[in-house]
Amino acid sequence: MQKRIFNAITGMAVTAVVLFTVIAAAISYKLYIQKAMGELNTAASIAAAYHPEPEELCALLEDRLDYAVRVTYIGGDGTVTFDSSPQVGNVSDMDNHGNRPEVEQALKEGFGSDIRASHTIGKRSCYAAVSDGNGTVIRLSREIESVYSLMLGTVSIIIVIAGLVIILATVISVKLSESLIVPVRTMVENIGVLAGQKGGKSETDRLIAEYEELEPVAAAVRKLSARLDRYITRLREERETISVITENMVEGMIVLDSGDNILSVNRSAVRLLSSAFRGGEGRHICELTRNPEILELISRSKEEKSVSGVIGAGGRKLRAFVNNTGDNSGTVLLLVDITESFNAEEMRRCFSANVSHELKTPLTTISGFGEMMESGVLTGKEDVKKYGGLIHRESSRLLSLINDIIRLSELDEGSGDSLEVRELDMNAVAGEVCAMLSDKAAKNGISLEHTGKSVMLTANEGMLSEIIYNLADNAIKYNTEGGFVRVDVSGTENTAVLTVSDSGIGIPAEHIEHIFERFYRVDKSRSKQRGGTGLGLSIVKHIVNVMGGSIDISSEVGKGTEITVDLPNNIK
C-alpha cells in the first residue's frame, strides 16, 4: 500500500511537471512569435514612411537589432529587385514573389504578414511586408527558432524543478503513507487482541480506543476468528479420526494427486511395498515403489476410472484396487495382502491333485487284481495268495494314506490346540516308540539304538509320540541292510532336544528344502516300494509348529541323515 501511495503521488508530480513544461513552452513560443512579428511590423512601417535605400535600410537594421533581418524589395509585378540574403545569388534568377501571401496582402491592403518556411532559403521565417505607395513592396523577414530550440535553453531549469518536485513528492508520499499505514500495521500486529484471543478485554478496549476506526474491523475479525477456530477444530478432529483409521488398517492405502505425488500413505502400505521408504507427502509414487504392475494399474485408472488386479511385491501377493476421481484430480490405491489365502489356495490345488494321484494308484491296483480274480483268470492257490497279498498291501497303503490325510486336515484346522497336555518325560516316550519299531528294524536288518537322558516337558503325548515314530520309521525305511538308527534325547534348561540319525541312503542337497512338503518324495519308486505316503515329514513339521518348536536337517548322500527337533519344555 505504501508503495502504491508513493507511486501515485510521484506519478502525479511528474505529470504536473510535464504539463507545466508543455504549457510554459507553448506560451513562451507564442510570445516569442508575437514579439518577432511586432518588431518586424514596426521596422517595415518605418521603412515605408522614410523610403530608405535598400543598403541603407540593411545597415540601419543591422545596427539596431541583435538578430539578422532579411530585406527584400519586390516590384508591383512580383519581380524581386533586391534581396539581402547571402544565400541569394543574382536576384534576376529568383522566382516571382507576387504570389507570396504577405506580398499579395501588402499590394491589396498596404500591409501583410505571414509565418511559413521560405521557398528561397528553406527555413521557417516570419514575414512583414508594406507597400511604399509607389508600387514597391518592402518585405522584412527573420528566421524563427523551433519550440524545441527554445526549450533547450531551459532544460537545466526544468530538470532542477522536476528533481525538487519529485523529492517533495517523495517526502509527502512517505509521510502520508505512514499516517495511513500505521493504524493498519497496528491492527495487524494486534490481530490477536482485536480477535479477543490474547491480552484480555482491557487490552482490546485500549487498542480500539486509540484507533476508533478499528472498531468495525475488530468486530469482523472476532467473528471471522471464531468461525475459523470452529472450522480448524472440526478439520483437526476429522483428520485425526481419518489418521487413526488409516494408520491402524491392515490394508495399505495410498492417496495420490493428479501428478501421482503422494498426498497420504499409511504404515501398512509402506510395509507392503517398501519398508525402507522414509518419505511422505509430496514424494512421487516411484519413490515408494517401482513395481511395474502397480504403476500400470495407476496409469490404467486414469482412463478406466476403477481397476483392480493381483500383483506380486516383495514375495507377497497383493490385491490392488485403484480408483481415480472423475476429473483425474487424484487416485486412491488400496492394497490387500492375500499371500496366505493365495498360498493356501495354491496348496489346496496341489494337495487335491496329489491326493487324486496318490489314491488312484493303489485303487487301480486293487481294482485290477479284483477284476482278474472275479473273471476267473486267477484260480490257482498260489496266484490267489500272491495277488491277494498285493491287494492287502495296497489296501494298507491306501488306509495309511487316508489316515495321514485326515491327520493333516486336523492339524490344518487347529484341532491339536484342544488336545490334553501334561508333564511328560520325552526320553521315556522315545523308549516306548523304539520298542514298537524294534521288530520292524530287526526285520530290515537295521540296528535301532535309543540313548539319552530324562527331559521333562509339557505336551500332548500322542503328538510327541507321533513325531518320534515318524522320524524313526522313516530312518528305518530309507536305510540299508546292516545300517543303524539312533534316537537320542537331550535338553537344556528351556528346551527338549530330539535327534534321530541314521546311516541310510541320505538326501541330495537340492531336495532337502522340499522334504517337508506334502507328497514330496526324493525317490518316488523307492518310497512306494517301502510303503511311504509322502506325508510323514509334513505331519512332523505341522506338529512341531503347533508345539512351538523348530526342526533342522542335515544329510549326505550315501552316509546318512540327522534330524534335530527342538521343543520348548514349558508348553501350556
Side-chain angles (χ1 to χ4, degrees), residues 343-369:
N343 291 340
E345 182 63 28
E346 186 68 21
M347 187 179 295
R348 278 192 293 271
R349 284 196 297 268
C350 293
F351 185 70
S352 298
N354 287 329
V355 166
S356 300
H357 176 73
E358 293 295 333
L359 291 176
K360 182 179 179 181
T361 302
L363 286 174
T364 301
T365 302
I366 293 171
S367 175
F369 291 152

Side-chain angles (χ1 to χ4, degrees), residues 146-158:
S146 66
V147 66
Y148 304 107
S149 299
L150 289 176
M151 291 297 295
L152 286 176
T154 61
V155 168
S156 58
I157 298 174
I158 293 173

Side-chain angles (χ1 to χ4, degrees), residues 63-125:
D63 182 56
R64 297 303 178 107
L65 300 176
D66 56 358
Y67 51 84
V69 176
R70 177 185 172 193
V71 178
T72 306
Y73 278 70
I74 304 166
D77 58 355
T79 302
V80 178
T81 59
F82 177 82
D83 195 301
S84 64
S85 174
Q87 297 181 14
V88 177
N90 193 345
V91 294
S92 60
D93 295 330
M94 294 180 68
D95 295 337
N96 188 288
H97 279 43
N99 60 348
R100 301 294 195 267
E102 68 279 4
V103 175
E104 289 181 345
Q105 187 179 6
L107 290 173
K108 292 179 181 179
E109 302 175 6
F111 184 84
S113 62
D114 192 22
I115 299 174
R116 56 181 170 77
S118 171
H119 295 284
T120 303
I121 63 178
K123 294 182 179 180
R124 186 171 177 79
S125 305

